[in-house]
Amino acid sequence: MILTTKGRYAVMAVVDLAQHIECDKPAKMQEIASRQEISLNYLEQIFNKLKHARIITAVRGPSGGYFLSKKAETLYVSEVIAAVAEPIKFTRCQSEASCLGNSSKCKTHILWRGLESRVEDYLANITIADICKGKLKKDERT
C-alpha cells in the first residue's frame, strides 16, 4: 500500500488543529509540529497545500496561526489526503490501463483496485470530528 507520510501527517495535523482551537484563537504551527512530532519544515509544506485546498485558513501577525476552514463535522479524511495530492494506491499501475510493461494488467489488478476502492470509501465516510470524538470502531485484534 502506498499512503505517504505526507498524507498521514496531514490528517494528524488537521485532527490536532480541530482539537486545539480555543475560542477563536488560531493554533500555532510550531505547537502542532511539536505535539505531533512532525518537522516544522515538512508541516509548512503540508499546510501550504491545505491552505491552497481551502481546508485551513491562515491568520497573519504575532497572534496569528491557523483555523479549519470547514467544520470538523463536514470535513472528511479523504478530502485532507486528496488536498496534499496523495493518492492511495495498492497497484503499481501508472494508469488504469496497465501494470505490466506490455500495456496489460496483471492478474491481481482487480483485487488491488477493489481494495483501493474500499479504503477510499472508508476514508470518505470518516470526518475529522469522528476522529476527535473517538467514534471509530477499534480493531478487535488490537
Side-chain angles (χ1 to χ4, degrees):
M1 176 179 147
I2 300 174
L3 175 60
T4 66
T5 55
K6 192 174 287 183
R8 288 193 312 271
Y9 286 178
V11 173
M12 290 166 58
V14 168
V15 168
D16 187 288
L17 186 59
Q19 289 182 315
H20 290 90
I21 301 268
E22 301 169 4
C23 305
D24 298 326
K25 182 180 174 188
K28 305 276 187 204
M29 185 185 311
Q30 297 87 345
E31 294 170 1
I32 295 169
S34 176
R35 283 191 296 266
Q36 297 302 319
E37 299 179 0
I38 301 171
S39 153
L40 185 57
N41 289 337
Y42 199 44
L43 190 57
E44 286 173 351
Q45 294 172 31
I46 292 168
F47 271 32
N48 283 333
K49 290 182 180 224
L50 294 173
K51 282 189 298 187
H52 184 38
R54 296 188 173 128
I55 289 178
I56 62 173
T57 303
V59 177
R60 295 180 186 251
S63 60
Y66 295 87
F67 289 108
L68 287 179
S69 298
K70 298 173 75 174
K71 292 184 179 187
E73 293 80 10
T74 63
L75 179 58
Y76 291 87
V77 172
S78 59
E79 294 176 78
V80 175
I81 292 171
V84 294
E86 296 298 319
I88 297 169
K89 279 187 68 170
F90 289 85
T91 65
R92 62 182 180 183
C93 305
Q94 297 302 315
S95 72
E96 201 50 40
S98 73
C99 307
L100 306 172
N102 62 3
S103 298
S104 64
K105 293 180 183 178
C106 68
K107 295 286 185 192
T108 58
H109 180 87
I110 293 172
L111 169 72
W112 303 128
R113 186 57 195 112
L115 184 56
E116 284 174 17
S117 180
R118 295 263 177 120
V119 171
E120 290 165 358
D121 289 346
Y122 178 73
L123 297 176
N125 286 291
I126 298 173
T127 67
I128 296 303
D130 291 337
I131 297 170
C132 292
K133 294 175 184 173
K135 288 189 174 181
L136 302 180
K137 292 181 183 178
K138 291 183 181 179
D139 184 356
E140 295 175 7
R141 294 171 289 181
T142 57

